[in-house]
Amino acid sequence: MPELFIDGTWRAALAGGTRDVVNPYDGRVLRTVDEAAEADAEAAVLAARRCFDAGTWPATPVAERAALLARTADLLQRDREEIARTETQDTGKTLPESRVDVDDVTAVFRYYAEQVLVDLDRTVDVGRDDVVSKVVHQPVGVCSLIAPWNYPLLQMCWKVAPALAAGNTVVLKPSEVTPLSTVHLVRLLAEAGYPAGSVNLLLGGGGAVGPVLTGHPAVDLVSFTGGLDTGRAIIRTAAETVKRTTVELGGKNPQVVFADVDLDTAVDVVLTGVFLHAGQVCSAGTRLIVEDSIADALVAGVAERAGRIRLGNGFDEGVESGPLVSAEHRDKVEAYVALGLSEGARLVTGGKRPDGDDLQRGFFYSPTVLDSCDRSMRIVQEETFGPILTVERFTTEAEAVELANDTAYGLAGGVQTADVERGERVAAAMRHGTVWINDFGPYVPQAEWGGMGMSGNGRELGPAGLHEYLETKHVWRSTRPGPVGQFTG
Ligand code: NAD
């Protein structure tokens, strides 16, 4: 069955292009999928435009739209295991992690099925009895939704659910590296019964279809999650037609640890914060900023446990982390470790490809800890998107905050301390879109997600995640029309 979905029909790419999708665990081709080109993108955008302008989806009563979202959530749960297995094959992440992702996006669809029923419209008292003034909300229009490879299903659903809930029509473009779970998602959306043209799917690299998705005059909004350089390019293209843009970009996220913590707990939080999914997490806590008096003990504890993380096939019981997503990405991670060492960092653990026969075909890299780092180093400032923890030390709270905020990014950060007031104080001072106190990583559909600084603009999840997909309109009605009296001639 072909994998492009345009105007309610599954079809192959017009030019016949295809691309191999590879399992990062063993380098084998999982499936060869259709690869869209410019003409397919144009067709998808125009299908979404027609559907929006005809009102088929935007004019569907909100309660019906909400019911379809809830139905989508049910279908996601029905196919939970199959989708999770697809995600593990495609990304290399462990099966339990993939199941969490399916449950997360199910919750997101359910959340927006409810949230969209909250009436945001309001009347405004303009101080006159001959005027009715209302502020109403309407869908923005055609939305291009572009997602990365690290959380393919999750990042896409954080966009699709609110966009459709609000009554927009959408063109989905998952990463060419990991498109398979999104194909499954779109099959479920088609099964649920969203009208033809409301949901369209393009597969392929950003180079061919990106300019259409982000520059075509028929597109009203671009929501992008991915790397900083791509985000900048998209903002530039979208600026030509002044599209609304939401960009969720990278992060270089600090984990601040004060000396009053329970050491074992702190080690565990730091370890999970940085090495989950082999560090391929936008909010990975890759930058440890630790109070000097416990630094040696904490680093030793993290390094010892990092060395024991069980790497392997995400399907195997007991495996705790999979490979990096591709050979190219591992090359990049290796280059960053080499850079860090050349900048003066000290290797504590990792820094190489792991041993073990079963790990040689895939793109594995050992969890790595680099001590003796400082903020002037590129390894401390640039996103590596791999299993690399850098260590910096501080002696005062002010210094800790200064270090944590010394980043061009601002996606997420954490602070661990037994002092509740200090935890709140430091969290308040941190210029990051999400801050965890004595934890690192959790998120919920009800709470906004997004970055400050170069981590992006706009928010996903929560009420703001829906507002991104709504226009706000003021309607003024004169109930006793008559001459204005401004011009009398
Ligand atoms: P990427 O920027 O290479 O690609 C992301 C998507 O953009 C892909 O679908 C790609 O095909 C597409 N694309 C590429 N060029 C394009 C163009 N010119 N026009 C339109 N689309 C184009 O990112 P990636 O390597 O897939 O993902 C990793 C990055 O994503 C990391 O930087 C990570 O921090 C970031 N990320 C951020 C968040 C967040 O919430 N802030 C979440 C997950 C990942």
Side-chain angles (χ1 to χ4, degrees):
M1 190 165 173
E3 283 103 356
L4 308 189
F5 189 65
I6 298 172
D7 213 5
T9 304
W10 290 98
R11 61 196 225 192
L14 289 169
T18 60
R19 179 189 288 262
D20 290 341
V21 179
V22 170
N23 183 339
Y25 165 65
D26 56 13
R28 291 204 186 125
V29 175
L30 278 170
R31 205 196 292 180
T32 300
V33 297
D34 295 301
E35 169 94 355
E38 201 180 321
D40 305 293
E42 172 101 10
V45 164
L46 293 179
R49 184 81 256 163
R50 281 193 301 276
C51 177
F52 188 83
D53 291 345
T56 329
W57 180 242
T60 301
V62 65
E64 280 179 40
R65 296 205 304 265
L68 263 187
L69 262 79
R71 166 113 180 98
T72 309
D74 293 343
L75 293 174
L76 283 161
Q77 281 303 297
R78 183 197 70 189
D79 290 1
R80 176 179 189 252
E81 198 58 20
E82 194 183 337
I83 300 170
R85 296 185 79 80
T86 298
E87 198 75 320
T88 288
Q89 282 188 325
D90 213 354
T91 63
K93 69 173 69 174
T94 66
L95 191 54
E97 284 176 69
S98 295
R99 290 186 185 123
V100 168
D101 288 358
V102 182
D103 292 345
D104 173 277
V105 303
T106 303
V108 169
F109 270 93
R110 289 203 203 292
Y111 171 71
Y112 282 116
E114 288 178 11
Q115 190 64 28
V116 74
L117 298 176
V118 175
D119 190 3
L120 300 171
D121 297 351
R122 65 184 201 274
T123 54
V124 178
D125 182 356
V126 299
R128 284 169 49 173
D129 64 2
D130 62 339
V131 169
V132 176
S133 164
K134 290 184 302 185
V135 173
V136 300
H137 296 83
Q138 298 179 333
V140 176
V142 173
C143 303
S144 293
L145 310 180
I146 304 171
W149 49 256
N150 60 330
Y151 284 82
L153 179 76
L154 183 142
Q155 297 295 346
M156 188 57 91
C157 288
W158 286 14
K159 303 177 189 304
V160 172
L164 288 176
N168 299 279
T169 59
V170 296
V171 181
L172 281 58
K173 216 296 282 171
S175 167
E176 62 275 27
V177 184
T178 56
L180 301 182
S181 58
T182 305
V183 174
H184 197 127
L185 169 72
V186 173
R187 290 198 197 293
L188 296 186
L189 295 171
E191 180 182 344
Y194 295 84
S198 59
V199 176
N200 304 275
L201 172 65
L202 296 171
L203 303 187
V209 302
V212 179
L213 288 176
T214 58
H216 198 293
V219 173
D220 300 293
L221 177 155
V222 179
S223 178
F224 167 79
T225 302
L228 176 58
D229 290 341
T230 317
R232 283 191 182 116
I234 284 175
I235 291 169
R236 276 195 290 270
T237 307
E240 276 304 309
T241 44
V242 197
K243 298 186 196 315
R244 190 184 288 199
T245 49
T246 298
V247 293
E248 299 285 351
L249 308 176
K252 191 71 186 180
N253 312 291
Q255 298 202 56
V256 175
V257 183
F258 285 91
D260 57 1
V261 291
D262 170 70
L263 197 66
D264 288 344
T265 304
V267 165
D268 196 65
V269 170
V270 170
L271 189 83
T272 311
V274 60
F275 294 125
L276 184 78
H277 192 19
Q280 301 168 114
V281 181
C282 53
S283 54
T286 51
R287 200 177 158 189
L288 175 60
I289 297 170
V290 53
E291 191 162 354
D292 200 33
S293 58
I294 61 157
D296 288 345
L298 187 72
V299 171
V302 171
E304 192 273 323
R305 294 226 12 224
R308 286 197 280 127
I309 291 175
R310 289 191 292 273
L311 305 178
N313 186 347
F315 285 105
D316 290 348
E317 193 77 26
V319 162
E320 295 173 313
S321 184
L324 297 175
V325 78
S326 66
E328 300 73 44
H329 187 52
R330 182 171 59 181
D331 289 347
K332 183 184 141 187
V333 168
E334 285 182 322
Y336 263 119
V337 173
L339 171 72
L341 295 175
S342 75
E343 289 178 304
R346 185 175 64 81
L347 182 66
V348 186
T349 189
K352 63 181 180 59
R353 299 180 185 188
D355 303 326
D357 292 346
D358 56 328
L359 305 180
Q360 299 313 309
R361 280 175 301 160
F363 314 125
F364 287 91
Y365 195 76
S366 299
T368 297
V369 177
L370 296 175
D371 201 350
S372 309
C373 296
D374 71 66
R375 56 170 145 173
S376 69
M377 296 176 175
R378 281 179 57 199
I379 190 72
V380 171
Q381 293 294 345
E382 296 179 18
E383 183 185 55
T384 61
F385 223 52
I388 306 172
L389 180 72
T390 63
V391 184
E392 299 157 85
R393 290 149 205 257
F394 70 86
T395 49
T396 65
E397 181 181 320
E399 196 188 348
V401 170
E402 194 185 320
L403 287 172
N405 285 340
D406 185 5
T407 169
Y409 291 109
L411 185 60
V415 50
Q416 296 189 62
T417 173
D419 180 337
V420 175
E421 282 178 20
R422 177 162 60 188
E424 293 287 347
R425 211 165 44 232
V426 171
M430 283 170 79
R431 295 264 313 147
H432 297 269
T434 296
V435 180
W436 294 283
I437 304 173
N438 295 333
D439 209 334
F440 203 95
Y443 52 84
V444 288
Q446 298 84 352
E448 277 76 2
W449 177 265
M452 300 183 187
M454 287 206 214
S455 287
N457 56 53
R459 288 293 179 269
E460 297 194 302
L461 303 181
L466 183 63
H467 294 176
E468 297 286 346
Y469 295 96
L470 288 169
E471 290 283 13
T472 305
K473 181 195 275 188
H474 178 204
V475 180
W476 171 292
R477 175 160 59 91
S478 179
T479 56
R480 292 196 298 276
V484 178
Q486 173 75 23
F487 301 109
T488 54

